[in-house]
Amino acid sequence: MKTKRIIIAVLLAALLTALTGSVASASENGVIRTPTSTGTVWLRSGPGTGYSRLGYTENGDLCTILATRGNWYRVLMKSGRMRGSYGWTYKKYVVNLRDSSKLSGWGTLAQIKTRYESSGVNLRKGPGTKYQSKGLLYRGDILIVLDKYNSKWYEVQVAYSDDYGYVYSTYITNGVEGYARANVNLRRAASTSSAIRLVIPQYATIKVLNVGKNWSRVNYQGYVGYVYNEYISLSS
């Protein structure tokens, strides 16, 4: 009897995957990115342009990615006029946000820099001053760099949140100040079998350049190498 139940459960799981697509990993959030700040993207009842339109989403709308099939995501909209709605949207119009609950897989990091500590920098809806400001960022705020729009604007996610937008490059400095949580090896490559360049002392200041799934690329006193994520913390 137990074997039959297992077989039925497997078949039901396979049927669900066939109907909805492969399940996305936990805490996989995204944001709608349209070609222009006033553009819209249709939310559809299925993974294709032949499926009915449920309504439209707008640039900057947040969503949770539930499943994927081919070039389409099944999403639950978290903001905007379609908030609370389930549907499918084309992958090219979704920016995958990083899981801000843990320091893993964030990618390239940067920080806000300003001349004065009290000065605020606009986080904008698009790459230009004509786009609406979503709020202000301040010196030391940590950014996850998702992309660059020409040489002037960075597409970013504010670390530890789902805040998303664009920041002018003048107000960004590459890398984030951090420190070693223990005496740790700085390696030439992201592997325990890689050669050790030197040992970073506990609590020593480092600059974290890029955070991978398990390893981070850091700069310590001019020496660049890799440190296992669990041995570093960000200062801010």
Side-chain angles (χ1 to χ4, degrees):
M1 182 64 71
K2 185 176 180 180
T3 302
K4 289 183 178 179
R5 288 176 181 174
I6 294 174
I7 293 173
I8 291 172
V10 171
L11 290 175
L12 287 174
L15 178 60
L16 182 62
T17 299
L19 291 173
T20 63
S22 58
V23 178
S25 60
S27 302
E28 192 168 354
N29 294 324
V31 62
I32 301 297
R33 177 172 59 188
T34 60
T36 65
S37 64
T38 57
T40 59
V41 174
W42 291 112
L43 189 67
R44 296 183 179 272
S45 61
T49 55
Y51 290 88
S52 60
R53 299 169 177 175
L54 303 175
Y56 65 86
T57 59
E58 299 175 302
N59 189 70
D61 288 352
L62 291 170
C63 63
T64 298
I65 301 168
L66 304 174
T68 181
R69 184 192 290 179
N71 292 322
W72 293 80
Y73 282 136
R74 184 171 183 261
V75 300
L76 167 62
M77 298 306 303
K78 297 174 62 179
S79 68
R81 66 175 58 242
M82 296 301 291
R83 180 179 179 181
S85 299
Y86 292 85
W88 293 81
T89 189
Y90 201 54
K91 282 184 180 180
K92 70 178 289 186
Y93 298 121
V94 178
V95 177
N96 295 76
L97 298 181
R98 308 296 189 259
D99 182 357
S100 59
S101 65
K102 55 185 177 181
L103 186 67
S104 175
W106 283 12
T108 302
L109 299 186
Q111 278 186 295
I112 293 294
K113 66 174 181 179
T114 57
R115 183 175 180 181
Y116 303 106
E117 189 172 354
S118 60
S119 298
V121 176
N122 286 304
L123 178 69
R124 296 191 178 274
K125 289 189 68 174
T129 55
K130 65 181 179 179
Y131 291 89
Q132 177 184 351
S133 174
K134 301 177 67 177
L136 295 177
L137 302 174
Y138 294 92
R139 182 191 294 180
D141 283 351
I142 298 174
L143 306 175
I144 301 168
V145 179
L146 303 175
D147 204 352
K148 282 191 72 174
Y149 186 86
N150 61 48
S151 61
K152 299 295 183 181
W153 292 86
Y154 282 81
E155 181 184 26
V156 301
Q157 176 185 343
V158 183
Y160 306 114
S161 77
D162 285 339
D163 289 340
Y164 160 89
Y166 293 79
V167 176
Y168 196 61
S169 60
T170 299
Y171 303 112
I172 286 182
T173 180
N174 294 326
V176 170
E177 187 175 288
Y179 63 90
R181 299 175 61 185
N183 294 338
V184 61
N185 294 322
L186 180 71
R187 296 185 179 273
R188 293 186 180 276
S191 170
T192 53
S193 61
S194 177
I196 298 171
R197 302 199 69 180
L198 51 82
V199 176
I200 302 175
Q202 185 176 18
Y203 304 128
T205 299
I206 58 177
K207 177 165 278 192
V208 183
L209 306 174
N210 188 289
V211 179
K213 183 177 180 181
N214 297 308
W215 294 80
S216 290
R217 187 168 181 263
V218 307
N219 185 320
Y220 171 64
Q221 297 185 350
Y223 294 92
V224 177
Y226 294 84
V227 174
Y228 204 65
N229 286 347
E230 69 178 82
Y231 294 112
I232 65 170
S233 288
L234 304 183
S235 297
S236 299

